[in-house]
Amino acid sequence: KTEDFSVLVDPRQRQWSSLNLDHLKLRCLDLNNIIVISSVLGQSVALDHYHAKVDLMLKDFTRVNQEMEETGNFNMSKKTLFQLVAQNNSTYSDSITKIKLLEKPSEAAWKYAHYGAIWDQLRSEFELEERFQRLSLKLELMQNNVKYFLEILQNRKSDTLEWIIIILIAGEIILCLYDIYDRAQEKKRAEEEKRREARQLQQLGLEQP
C-alpha cells in the first residue's frame, strides 16, 4: 500500500504553512522544515513496518490458539516462544528509542512555534499517536499470550518433574518390596535347611543300636 503526499512551496503565501488533504504548502522550504517533514514521514513508514511485523507474530499466536482449541495440545517449542518474546520486546523498544515517536525531531520544533505547528499538524494528519496506541495494544495482546503460553510450559515442566518423582518413589517401593521378598525367601531357605538337618540327625539316631 502506497500513499502520495506532496510538499508545495509558495513564497506568496501569507501563512508559514497550511496543511491540506494530500499536501503541505509552505512559504519557505528551509532545513528545519525538511527535518520536521522527513522525521514525521519516516516515523509513519516505520510504524507501518512495525505493524506488519507484529501482525505476522499475532498470526503465529492465532494459529497456536486454533490448534489448542482443536486438539487441546500446545505444540510451540520453547525456542520459538522465546524468539517471539524477544521480537515483541525489541519492537516496543525500537518504536520508542529508534524512531523516537514521543520526541520532537529538532531543537527548532521546540523553540519556534511555526516549526512545532508543522510537526503537530503532520503527526495528526498521519495519525501517529493513534497508530502507536494500536501498535501498543497489539504488543500488549502478544504479551498476554506469551504469559499464558509460558505458564503452560512451566506447568508442563512441573508435571514432568512430578512424574519423575512418582517414578523414583515407585522404583524405591519396588526395590523395598524385592528386598522384603528376598529376605523372606532367604529365611524360608534357612528354615528348610534346619528342618533337613534335624531330619538327618533323627535318622542317624534311629540307625544306631
Side-chain angles (χ1 to χ4, degrees):
K1 181 182 178 180
T2 60
E3 295 181 1
D4 293 329
F5 186 81
S6 303
V7 178
L8 306 178
V9 179
D10 184 2
R12 297 170 299 177
Q13 180 174 261
R14 297 185 61 183
Q15 295 176 311
W16 179 259
S17 65
S18 61
L19 181 65
N20 297 290
L21 291 176
D22 59 352
H23 68 273
L24 174 68
K25 184 180 287 189
L26 300 173
R27 190 201 309 167
C28 172
L29 184 63
D30 58 13
L31 180 60
N32 287 323
N33 274 329
I34 293 174
I35 292 174
V36 170
I37 294 169
S38 61
S39 173
V40 175
L41 292 178
Q43 290 173 343
S44 180
V45 172
L47 273 176
D48 284 340
H49 166 73
Y50 287 125
H51 271 285
K53 184 177 179 180
V54 171
D55 286 341
L56 287 176
M57 289 188 283
L58 283 174
K59 282 184 179 180
D60 289 335
F61 282 116
T62 300
R63 176 183 53 80
V64 173
N65 282 319
Q66 289 175 345
E67 290 179 356
M68 288 182 63
E69 183 179 356
E70 294 172 359
T71 65
N73 296 321
F74 176 65
N75 298 318
M76 180 179 286
S77 67
K78 184 185 296 185
K79 179 181 178 181
T80 301
L81 182 58
F82 286 169
Q83 287 175 335
L84 288 173
V85 172
Q87 289 178 7
N88 181 81
N89 293 339
S90 64
T91 299
Y92 187 78
S93 175
D94 289 350
S95 66
I96 297 294
T97 59
K98 288 188 177 181
I99 63 177
K100 300 180 179 179
L101 277 170
L102 305 180
E103 299 179 16
K104 289 187 177 181
S106 68
E107 189 175 348
W110 288 100
K111 285 186 175 181
Y112 303 105
H114 49 285
Y115 293 121
I118 294 174
W119 186 73
D120 290 331
Q121 290 170 358
L122 288 176
R123 282 175 62 87
S124 177
E125 174 68 20
F126 289 99
E127 300 178 341
L128 294 190
E129 292 186 6
E130 293 83 352
R131 289 160 62 194
F132 179 70
Q133 289 176 357
R134 290 197 294 270
L135 178 64
S136 298
L137 288 175
K138 290 179 181 180
L139 292 172
E140 184 178 353
L141 176 61
M142 283 188 55
Q143 287 177 344
N144 291 333
N145 276 274
V146 165
K147 182 180 179 181
Y148 172 64
F149 291 144
L150 285 175
E151 288 177 353
I152 292 177
L153 288 178
Q154 184 63 35
N155 291 335
R156 181 183 293 176
K157 182 178 180 181
S158 298
D159 291 342
T160 302
L161 291 174
E162 289 177 1
W163 277 108
I164 292 174
I165 293 172
I166 291 172
I167 292 172
L168 290 174
I169 293 174
E172 187 175 354
I173 291 173
I174 291 172
L175 290 175
C176 289
L177 291 175
Y178 178 79
D179 184 59
I180 293 171
Y181 173 79
D182 187 60
R183 290 182 181 181
Q185 291 297 110
E186 184 178 355
K187 183 178 180 180
K188 184 178 179 181
R189 287 194 296 270
E191 290 176 352
E192 290 179 353
E193 183 67 24
K194 286 181 180 179
R195 286 196 293 269
R196 188 166 52 253
E197 290 177 355
R199 285 197 299 270
Q200 289 176 353
L201 290 174
Q202 186 177 11
Q203 288 177 358
L204 289 174
L206 292 174
E207 289 174 359
Q208 292 179 357

PDB file of all heavy atoms in Angstrom, residues 153-180:
ATOM      1  N   LEU A 153       4.099 -23.905  29.590  1.00  0.00           N
ATOM      2  CA  LEU A 153       5.405 -24.573  29.601  1.00  0.00           C
ATOM      3  C   LEU A 153       5.876 -24.854  31.016  1.00  0.00           C
ATOM      4  O   LEU A 153       6.433 -25.915  31.301  1.00  0.00           O
ATOM      5  CB  LEU A 153       6.435 -23.710  28.867  1.00  0.00           C
ATOM      6  CG  LEU A 153       6.308 -23.625  27.339  1.00  0.00           C
ATOM      7  CD1 LEU A 153       7.369 -22.686  26.784  1.00  0.00           C
ATOM      8  CD2 LEU A 153       6.439 -24.997  26.706  1.00  0.00           C
ATOM      9  N   GLN A 154       5.634 -23.898  31.923  1.00  0.00           N
ATOM     10  CA  GLN A 154       6.047 -24.085  33.309  1.00  0.00           C
ATOM     11  C   GLN A 154       5.267 -25.222  33.949  1.00  0.00           C
ATOM     12  O   GLN A 154       5.833 -26.054  34.672  1.00  0.00           O
ATOM     13  CB  GLN A 154       5.831 -22.786  34.093  1.00  0.00           C
ATOM     14  CG  GLN A 154       6.313 -22.850  35.537  1.00  0.00           C
ATOM     15  CD  GLN A 154       7.799 -23.082  35.656  1.00  0.00           C
ATOM     16  OE1 GLN A 154       8.581 -22.589  34.842  1.00  0.00           O
ATOM     17  NE2 GLN A 154       8.209 -23.844  36.661  1.00  0.00           N
ATOM     18  N   ASN A 155       3.953 -25.262  33.676  1.00  0.00           N
ATOM     19  CA  ASN A 155       3.119 -26.346  34.219  1.00  0.00           C
ATOM     20  C   ASN A 155       3.542 -27.689  33.641  1.00  0.00           C
ATOM     21  O   ASN A 155       3.549 -28.708  34.338  1.00  0.00           O
ATOM     22  CB  ASN A 155       1.646 -26.084  33.926  1.00  0.00           C
ATOM     23  CG  ASN A 155       1.097 -24.908  34.712  1.00  0.00           C
ATOM     24  OD1 ASN A 155       1.616 -24.565  35.768  1.00  0.00           O
ATOM     25  ND2 ASN A 155       0.058 -24.278  34.201  1.00  0.00           N
ATOM     26  N   ARG A 156       3.883 -27.657  32.329  1.00  0.00           N
ATOM     27  CA  ARG A 156       4.328 -28.903  31.699  1.00  0.00           C
ATOM     28  C   ARG A 156       5.624 -29.388  32.351  1.00  0.00           C
ATOM     29  O   ARG A 156       5.806 -30.578  32.600  1.00  0.00           O
ATOM     30  CB  ARG A 156       4.532 -28.668  30.201  1.00  0.00           C
ATOM     31  CG  ARG A 156       4.980 -29.907  29.436  1.00  0.00           C
ATOM     32  CD  ARG A 156       5.235 -29.579  27.979  1.00  0.00           C
ATOM     33  NE  ARG A 156       4.000 -29.225  27.290  1.00  0.00           N
ATOM     34  CZ  ARG A 156       3.981 -28.817  26.024  1.00  0.00           C
ATOM     35  NH1 ARG A 156       5.111 -28.694  25.346  1.00  0.00           N
ATOM     36  NH2 ARG A 156       2.833 -28.522  25.453  1.00  0.00           N
ATOM     37  N   LYS A 157       6.536 -28.445  32.641  1.00  0.00           N
ATOM     38  CA  LYS A 157       7.786 -28.795  33.303  1.00  0.00           C
ATOM     39  C   LYS A 157       7.515 -29.331  34.699  1.00  0.00           C
ATOM     40  O   LYS A 157       8.134 -30.317  35.133  1.00  0.00           O
ATOM     41  CB  LYS A 157       8.691 -27.562  33.374  1.00  0.00           C
ATOM     42  CG  LYS A 157      10.051 -27.826  33.999  1.00  0.00           C
ATOM     43  CD  LYS A 157      10.892 -26.560  33.993  1.00  0.00           C
ATOM     44  CE  LYS A 157      12.255 -26.813  34.622  1.00  0.00           C
ATOM     45  NZ  LYS A 157      13.072 -25.569  34.635  1.00  0.00           N
ATOM     46  N   SER A 158       6.559 -28.692  35.400  1.00  0.00           N
ATOM     47  CA  SER A 158       6.210 -29.154  36.746  1.00  0.00           C
ATOM     48  C   SER A 158       5.613 -30.552  36.688  1.00  0.00           C
ATOM     49  O   SER A 158       5.920 -31.410  37.531  1.00  0.00           O
ATOM     50  CB  SER A 158       5.213 -28.186  37.388  1.00  0.00           C
ATOM     51  OG  SER A 158       5.779 -26.896  37.520  1.00  0.00           O
ATOM     52  N   ASP A 159       4.753 -30.796  35.682  1.00  0.00           N
ATOM     53  CA  ASP A 159       4.162 -32.128  35.525  1.00  0.00           C
ATOM     54  C   ASP A 159       5.240 -33.175  35.270  1.00  0.00           C
ATOM     55  O   ASP A 159       5.188 -34.293  35.809  1.00  0.00           O
ATOM     56  CB  ASP A 159       3.158 -32.134  34.373  1.00  0.00           C
ATOM     57  CG  ASP A 159       1.909 -31.316  34.695  1.00  0.00           C
ATOM     58  OD1 ASP A 159       1.671 -31.049  35.892  1.00  0.00           O
ATOM     59  OD2 ASP A 159       1.185 -30.937  33.752  1.00  0.00           O
ATOM     60  N   THR A 160       6.229 -32.800  34.442  1.00  0.00           N
ATOM     61  CA  THR A 160       7.324 -33.730  34.158  1.00  0.00           C
ATOM     62  C   THR A 160       8.109 -34.058  35.419  1.00  0.00           C
ATOM     63  O   THR A 160       8.440 -35.227  35.689  1.00  0.00           O
ATOM     64  CB  THR A 160       8.269 -33.119  33.102  1.00  0.00           C
ATOM     65  OG1 THR A 160       7.529 -32.827  31.909  1.00  0.00           O
ATOM     66  CG2 THR A 160       9.389 -34.088  32.763  1.00  0.00           C
ATOM     67  N   LEU A 161       8.391 -33.022  36.221  1.00  0.00           N
ATOM     68  CA  LEU A 161       9.107 -33.245  37.470  1.00  0.00           C
ATOM     69  C   LEU A 161       8.297 -34.121  38.423  1.00  0.00           C
ATOM     70  O   LEU A 161       8.846 -34.989  39.111  1.00  0.00           O
ATOM     71  CB  LEU A 161       9.444 -31.899  38.129  1.00  0.00           C
ATOM     72  CG  LEU A 161      10.483 -31.038  37.414  1.00  0.00           C
ATOM     73  CD1 LEU A 161      10.615 -29.678  38.098  1.00  0.00           C
ATOM     74  CD2 LEU A 161      11.830 -31.733  37.378  1.00  0.00           C
ATOM     75  N   GLU A 162       6.985 -33.893  38.457  1.00  0.00           N
ATOM     76  CA  GLU A 162       6.124 -34.705  39.314  1.00  0.00           C
ATOM     77  C   GLU A 162       6.155 -36.169  38.886  1.00  0.00           C
ATOM     78  O   GLU A 162       6.219 -37.076  39.732  1.00  0.00           O
ATOM     79  CB  GLU A 162       4.692 -34.177  39.275  1.00  0.00           C
ATOM     80  CG  GLU A 162       4.518 -32.836  40.000  1.00  0.00           C
ATOM     81  CD  GLU A 162       3.107 -32.295  39.880  1.00  0.00           C
ATOM     82  OE1 GLU A 162       2.270 -32.973  39.246  1.00  0.00           O
ATOM     83  OE2 GLU A 162       2.846 -31.198  40.408  1.00  0.00           O
ATOM     84  N   TRP A 163       6.114 -36.415  37.572  1.00  0.00           N
ATOM     85  CA  TRP A 163       6.169 -37.797  37.094  1.00  0.00           C
ATOM     86  C   TRP A 163       7.520 -38.432  37.411  1.00  0.00           C
ATOM     87  O   TRP A 163       7.585 -39.630  37.747  1.00  0.00           O
ATOM     88  CB  TRP A 163       5.891 -37.847  35.592  1.00  0.00           C
ATOM     89  CG  TRP A 163       4.435 -37.851  35.257  1.00  0.00           C
ATOM     90  CD1 TRP A 163       3.696 -36.853  34.704  1.00  0.00           C
ATOM     91  CD2 TRP A 163       3.525 -38.941  35.490  1.00  0.00           C
ATOM     92  NE1 TRP A 163       2.375 -37.233  34.583  1.00  0.00           N
ATOM     93  CE2 TRP A 163       2.247 -38.514  35.048  1.00  0.00           C
ATOM     94  CE3 TRP A 163       3.663 -40.209  36.032  1.00  0.00           C
ATOM     95  CZ2 TRP A 163       1.118 -39.326  35.123  1.00  0.00           C
ATOM     96  CZ3 TRP A 163       2.542 -41.031  36.108  1.00  0.00           C
ATOM     97  CH2 TRP A 163       1.294 -40.593  35.664  1.00  0.00           C
ATOM     98  N   ILE A 164       8.588 -37.640  37.297  1.00  0.00           N
ATOM     99  CA  ILE A 164       9.905 -38.179  37.641  1.00  0.00           C
ATOM    100  C   ILE A 164       9.952 -38.572  39.109  1.00  0.00           C
ATOM    101  O   ILE A 164      10.469 -39.650  39.478  1.00  0.00           O
ATOM    102  CB  ILE A 164      11.000 -37.135  37.328  1.00  0.00           C
ATOM    103  CG1 ILE A 164      11.121 -36.940  35.808  1.00  0.00           C
ATOM    104  CG2 ILE A 164      12.340 -37.564  37.921  1.00  0.00           C
ATOM    105  CD1 ILE A 164      12.068 -35.830  35.409  1.00  0.00           C
ATOM    106  N   ILE A 165       9.389 -37.704  39.972  1.00  0.00           N
ATOM    107  CA  ILE A 165       9.362 -38.015  41.406  1.00  0.00           C
ATOM    108  C   ILE A 165       8.526 -39.261  41.668  1.00  0.00           C
ATOM    109  O   ILE A 165       8.909 -40.145  42.451  1.00  0.00           O
ATOM    110  CB  ILE A 165       8.807 -36.812  42.190  1.00  0.00           C
ATOM    111  CG1 ILE A 165       9.786 -35.628  42.107  1.00  0.00           C
ATOM    112  CG2 ILE A 165       8.550 -37.173  43.651  1.00  0.00           C
ATOM    113  CD1 ILE A 165       9.243 -34.340  42.679  1.00  0.00           C
ATOM    114  N   ILE A 166       7.359 -39.350  40.992  1.00  0.00           N
ATOM    115  CA  ILE A 166       6.495 -40.522  41.166  1.00  0.00           C
ATOM    116  C   ILE A 166       7.223 -41.797  40.736  1.00  0.00           C
ATOM    117  O   ILE A 166       7.159 -42.830  41.423  1.00  0.00           O
ATOM    118  CB  ILE A 166       5.191 -40.343  40.368  1.00  0.00           C
ATOM    119  CG1 ILE A 166       4.334 -39.241  41.007  1.00  0.00           C
ATOM    120  CG2 ILE A 166       4.406 -41.651  40.299  1.00  0.00           C
ATOM    121  CD1 ILE A 166       3.120 -38.855  40.188  1.00  0.00           C
ATOM    122  N   ILE A 167       7.926 -41.739  39.588  1.00  0.00           N
ATOM    123  CA  ILE A 167       8.658 -42.916  39.098  1.00  0.00           C
ATOM    124  C   ILE A 167       9.765 -43.307  40.065  1.00  0.00           C
ATOM    125  O   ILE A 167       9.975 -44.501  40.345  1.00  0.00           O
ATOM    126  CB  ILE A 167       9.222 -42.624  37.692  1.00  0.00           C
ATOM    127  CG1 ILE A 167       8.070 -42.508  36.683  1.00  0.00           C
ATOM    128  CG2 ILE A 167      10.189 -43.722  37.260  1.00  0.00           C
ATOM    129  CD1 ILE A 167       8.517 -42.029  35.312  1.00  0.00           C
ATOM    130  N   LEU A 168      10.475 -42.296  40.607  1.00  0.00           N
ATOM    131  CA  LEU A 168      11.545 -42.597  41.567  1.00  0.00           C
ATOM    132  C   LEU A 168      10.980 -43.243  42.831  1.00  0.00           C
ATOM    133  O   LEU A 168      11.563 -44.207  43.365  1.00  0.00           O
ATOM    134  CB  LEU A 168      12.302 -41.316  41.912  1.00  0.00           C
ATOM    135  CG  LEU A 168      13.174 -40.723  40.793  1.00  0.00           C
ATOM    136  CD1 LEU A 168      13.755 -39.387  41.222  1.00  0.00           C
ATOM    137  CD2 LEU A 168      14.288 -41.684  40.408  1.00  0.00           C
ATOM    138  N   ILE A 169       9.858 -42.707  43.320  1.00  0.00           N
ATOM    139  CA  ILE A 169       9.230 -43.284  44.512  1.00  0.00           C
ATOM    140  C   ILE A 169       8.766 -44.708  44.233  1.00  0.00           C
ATOM    141  O   ILE A 169       8.964 -45.626  45.055  1.00  0.00           O
ATOM    142  CB  ILE A 169       8.051 -42.412  44.976  1.00  0.00           C
ATOM    143  CG1 ILE A 169       8.572 -41.055  45.483  1.00  0.00           C
ATOM    144  CG2 ILE A 169       7.250 -43.107  46.075  1.00  0.00           C
ATOM    145  CD1 ILE A 169       7.481 -40.071  45.824  1.00  0.00           C
ATOM    146  N   ALA A 170       8.142 -44.902  43.047  1.00  0.00           N
ATOM    147  CA  ALA A 170       7.681 -46.243  42.673  1.00  0.00           C
ATOM    148  C   ALA A 170       8.859 -47.205  42.582  1.00  0.00           C
ATOM    149  O   ALA A 170       8.773 -48.368  43.034  1.00  0.00           O
ATOM    150  CB  ALA A 170       6.927 -46.187  41.342  1.00  0.00           C
ATOM    151  N   GLY A 171       9.984 -46.726  42.009  1.00  0.00           N
ATOM    152  CA  GLY A 171      11.167 -47.576  41.918  1.00  0.00           C
ATOM    153  C   GLY A 171      11.704 -47.946  43.288  1.00  0.00           C
ATOM    154  O   GLY A 171      12.106 -49.095  43.524  1.00  0.00           O
ATOM    155  N   GLU A 172      11.682 -46.969  44.209  1.00  0.00           N
ATOM    156  CA  GLU A 172      12.154 -47.252  45.569  1.00  0.00           C
ATOM    157  C   GLU A 172      11.242 -48.262  46.266  1.00  0.00           C
ATOM    158  O   GLU A 172      11.720 -49.162  46.975  1.00  0.00           O
ATOM    159  CB  GLU A 172      12.200 -45.952  46.366  1.00  0.00           C
ATOM    160  CG  GLU A 172      12.834 -46.105  47.740  1.00  0.00           C
ATOM    161  CD  GLU A 172      12.983 -44.778  48.445  1.00  0.00           C
ATOM    162  OE1 GLU A 172      12.701 -43.741  47.835  1.00  0.00           O
ATOM    163  OE2 GLU A 172      13.385 -44.800  49.636  1.00  0.00           O
ATOM    164  N   ILE A 173       9.937 -48.120  46.042  1.00  0.00           N
ATOM    165  CA  ILE A 173       8.984 -49.074  46.637  1.00  0.00           C
ATOM    166  C   ILE A 173       9.225 -50.472  46.093  1.00  0.00           C
ATOM    167  O   ILE A 173       9.220 -51.466  46.843  1.00  0.00           O
ATOM    168  CB  ILE A 173       7.538 -48.619  46.354  1.00  0.00           C
ATOM    169  CG1 ILE A 173       7.227 -47.339  47.140  1.00  0.00           C
ATOM    170  CG2 ILE A 173       6.536 -49.718  46.725  1.00  0.00           C
ATOM    171  CD1 ILE A 173       5.884 -46.725  46.803  1.00  0.00           C
ATOM    172  N   ILE A 174       9.454 -50.571  44.764  1.00  0.00           N
ATOM    173  CA  ILE A 174       9.712 -51.885  44.153  1.00  0.00           C
ATOM    174  C   ILE A 174      10.972 -52.506  44.729  1.00  0.00           C
ATOM    175  O   ILE A 174      11.007 -53.708  45.044  1.00  0.00           O
ATOM    176  CB  ILE A 174       9.816 -51.735  42.619  1.00  0.00           C
ATOM    177  CG1 ILE A 174       8.449 -51.377  42.034  1.00  0.00           C
ATOM    178  CG2 ILE A 174      10.340 -53.019  41.986  1.00  0.00           C
ATOM    179  CD1 ILE A 174       8.487 -51.025  40.569  1.00  0.00           C
ATOM    180  N   LEU A 175      12.018 -51.698  44.901  1.00  0.00           N
ATOM    181  CA  LEU A 175      13.262 -52.207  45.484  1.00  0.00           C
ATOM    182  C   LEU A 175      13.042 -52.688  46.918  1.00  0.00           C
ATOM    183  O   LEU A 175      13.578 -53.733  47.339  1.00  0.00           O
ATOM    184  CB  LEU A 175      14.344 -51.129  45.444  1.00  0.00           C
ATOM    185  CG  LEU A 175      14.897 -50.783  44.057  1.00  0.00           C
ATOM    186  CD1 LEU A 175      15.861 -49.611  44.146  1.00  0.00           C
ATOM    187  CD2 LEU A 175      15.601 -52.000  43.448  1.00  0.00           C
ATOM    188  N   CYS A 176      12.240 -51.911  47.684  1.00  0.00           N
ATOM    189  CA  CYS A 176      11.954 -52.314  49.063  1.00  0.00           C
ATOM    190  C   CYS A 176      11.169 -53.632  49.096  1.00  0.00           C
ATOM    191  O   CYS A 176      11.454 -54.530  49.919  1.00  0.00           O
ATOM    192  CB  CYS A 176      11.168 -51.214  49.774  1.00  0.00           C
ATOM    193  SG  CYS A 176      12.132 -49.738  50.126  1.00  0.00           S
ATOM    194  N   LEU A 177      10.172 -53.746  48.216  1.00  0.00           N
ATOM    195  CA  LEU A 177       9.378 -54.977  48.155  1.00  0.00           C
ATOM    196  C   LEU A 177      10.245 -56.171  47.754  1.00  0.00           C
ATOM    197  O   LEU A 177      10.110 -57.274  48.310  1.00  0.00           O
ATOM    198  CB  LEU A 177       8.221 -54.814  47.168  1.00  0.00           C
ATOM    199  CG  LEU A 177       7.117 -53.841  47.591  1.00  0.00           C
ATOM    200  CD1 LEU A 177       6.102 -53.672  46.466  1.00  0.00           C
ATOM    201  CD2 LEU A 177       6.411 -54.342  48.864  1.00  0.00           C
ATOM    202  N   TYR A 178      11.160 -55.939  46.780  1.00  0.00           N
ATOM    203  CA  TYR A 178      12.057 -57.010  46.362  1.00  0.00           C
ATOM    204  C   TYR A 178      12.971 -57.417  47.508  1.00  0.00           C
ATOM    205  O   TYR A 178      13.243 -58.615  47.718  1.00  0.00           O
ATOM    206  CB  TYR A 178      12.882 -56.557  45.163  1.00  0.00           C
ATOM    207  CG  TYR A 178      13.865 -57.596  44.698  1.00  0.00           C
ATOM    208  CD1 TYR A 178      13.456 -58.674  43.912  1.00  0.00           C
ATOM    209  CD2 TYR A 178      15.217 -57.512  45.061  1.00  0.00           C
ATOM    210  CE1 TYR A 178      14.352 -59.636  43.497  1.00  0.00           C
ATOM    211  CE2 TYR A 178      16.116 -58.470  44.646  1.00  0.00           C
ATOM    212  CZ  TYR A 178      15.685 -59.531  43.870  1.00  0.00           C
ATOM    213  OH  TYR A 178      16.580 -60.484  43.463  1.00  0.00           O
ATOM    214  N   ASP A 179      13.445 -56.445  48.276  1.00  0.00           N
ATOM    215  CA  ASP A 179      14.320 -56.738  49.417  1.00  0.00           C
ATOM    216  C   ASP A 179      13.572 -57.544  50.470  1.00  0.00           C
ATOM    217  O   ASP A 179      14.112 -58.505  51.031  1.00  0.00           O
ATOM    218  CB  ASP A 179      14.837 -55.424  50.008  1.00  0.00           C
ATOM    219  CG  ASP A 179      15.833 -55.666  51.125  1.00  0.00           C
ATOM    220  OD1 ASP A 179      16.863 -56.308  50.871  1.00  0.00           O
ATOM    221  OD2 ASP A 179      15.575 -55.195  52.252  1.00  0.00           O
ATOM    222  N   ILE A 180      12.308 -57.137  50.725  1.00  0.00           N
ATOM    223  CA  ILE A 180      11.493 -57.879  51.692  1.00  0.00           C
ATOM    224  C   ILE A 180      11.257 -59.307  51.211  1.00  0.00           C
ATOM    225  O   ILE A 180      11.375 -60.288  51.980  1.00  0.00           O
ATOM    226  CB  ILE A 180      10.150 -57.168  51.921  1.00  0.00           C
ATOM    227  CG1 ILE A 180      10.391 -55.827  52.624  1.00  0.00           C
ATOM    228  CG2 ILE A 180       9.186 -58.029  52.712  1.00  0.00           C
ATOM    229  CD1 ILE A 180       9.153 -54.962  52.695  1.00  0.00           C
TER     230      ILE A 180
END
